[in-house]
Amino acid sequence: MSKTVLSDHVNKCLMSEKYVSKGRTATGIAALLLLQGATMLPAQAANAAKIGQRVLMIEMTPALCNLQPTRSRMRQCLEGYSLTVSGLDMGYGERCGRGSDPRLTPLQLKVVNRIMPDTTVRTQAWQRYGACSPLSASSYFRQITNYAGALKLPNELNTGNSYTVLKSRFIGQMTQLNSGMSPASVDLLCQVGSRRQMILTDVHVCYEGSQFGTCHNVVDNCGSKFIISGGK
């Protein structure tokens, strides 16, 4: 079965400046429209923190660049990324770091850039989720690259082509590619396209600590089938 291995991409970033796809490709990652994520009530956030609930948010970049014209000047849109990460909800609440910027070493920034190329997105992810956790910025973004490096995604997300996909098939691929993942570990988010078809915009992958977990505050609005947009 074809797959996209995020670890291959993250490791290559340490060795090469080249990042090719059809322009550039995140050889396997992405998550949510504009730094989204369901807003949790304080009690829900506290419960999530206690059980170690974490949500890696992956964006389908071509779809969002087409659906949201205001994003057209973002680096991932201009350079043709297939997938990008928009954040990691650690389960400690939201919006704790107003005005704070994440400080990363040049080497770590180089790696993080490959899956989170936009400076504003990185800053917003830190301010919205990372600063609420007990982690430093370096540790927070290391968590993101660790999760991304281990996650495998269906190859259809990274070919540059567009596909109509059955939700059951897509989820089945995800669970087969990732040991320990169940269908409840994945939440799919879609938006309605110009032809009234559902277009996949975000994939949320949920964890309990270092293991796959069950997603809470599920959106799951894609229906039985949806379009994976490759930008063509």
Side-chain angles (χ1 to χ4, degrees), residues 12 29-30 37 43 68 100 114 135 152 192 207 216:
K12 286 177 183 176
I29 198 126
Q68 299 180 8
S100 64
R114 304 305 183 177
L135 299 181
K152 302 177 182 69
V192 180
Y207 300 83
H216 307 302

Side-chain angles (χ1 to χ4, degrees), residues 1 19 129 157 200:
M1 177 180 294
Y19 192 54
Y129 302 114
L157 295 179
L200 182 67

